[in-house]
Amino acid sequence: MIFSSFNLASLLVAQSIDPGFEYCYLTDRDLKDPDAFCQEYQLAGIHPHHYLAGATVPQRIWTVNDPAVQADLFRRGIAGIFTDDFERAQQVREEWL
């Protein structure tokens, strides 16, 4: 199970209660150093609004409905996307595996 939130404090509280899950920061802003940010707060990854080049932590981008953008993100090796059309995204993803 992955917990994702815009509220970092909530993620940290949940993580202290049960560290056995993955906790990821949901954000609409650029993080200068996503890897250092995740390391500092012991997060499993980030869920940004757009791809953050150079980050090595898992990224799940939201909300991606354009198949061309989905294909580009899958080519870049992102961990996943949030989308409103799961079936179409699955088809795009299968083309790049």
Side-chain angles (χ1 to χ4, degrees), residues 24-46:
C24 298
Y25 185 55
L26 185 61
T27 184
D28 60 355
R29 58 189 179 100
D30 286 332
L31 297 175
K32 290 183 181 182
D33 188 345
D35 296 332
F37 181 85
C38 289
Q39 184 176 8
E40 178 179 352
Y41 295 106
Q42 299 176 340
L43 299 172
I46 54 173

Side-chain angles (χ1 to χ4, degrees), residues 2-4 7 14-15 20 32 36 40 45-46 52 54 59 65 67 74-75 77 83 86-88:
I2 299 172
F3 290 92
S4 180
N7 189 314
Q15 188 177 54
K32 290 183 181 182
E40 178 179 352
I46 54 173
L52 299 177
Q59 295 185 58
N65 292 320
F74 291 133
R75 276 193 298 272
T83 184
F86 177 78
E87 287 86 8
R88 183 174 54 182

Side-chain angles (χ1 to χ4, degrees), residues 14-84:
Q15 188 177 54
S16 71
I17 293 169
D18 191 341
F21 294 105
E22 289 188 19
Y23 297 91
C24 298
Y25 185 55
L26 185 61
T27 184
D28 60 355
R29 58 189 179 100
D30 286 332
L31 297 175
K32 290 183 181 182
D33 188 345
D35 296 332
F37 181 85
C38 289
Q39 184 176 8
E40 178 179 352
Y41 295 106
Q42 299 176 340
L43 299 172
I46 54 173
H47 295 165
H49 184 56
H50 60 275
Y51 179 75
L52 299 177
T56 61
V57 295
Q59 295 185 58
R60 293 175 187 88
I61 316 304
W62 57 275
T63 299
V64 185
N65 292 320
D66 182 324
V69 175
Q70 292 171 349
D72 179 59
L73 291 170
F74 291 133
R75 276 193 298 272
R76 293 174 184 258
I78 53 100
I81 62 170
F82 294 83
T83 184
D84 295 320

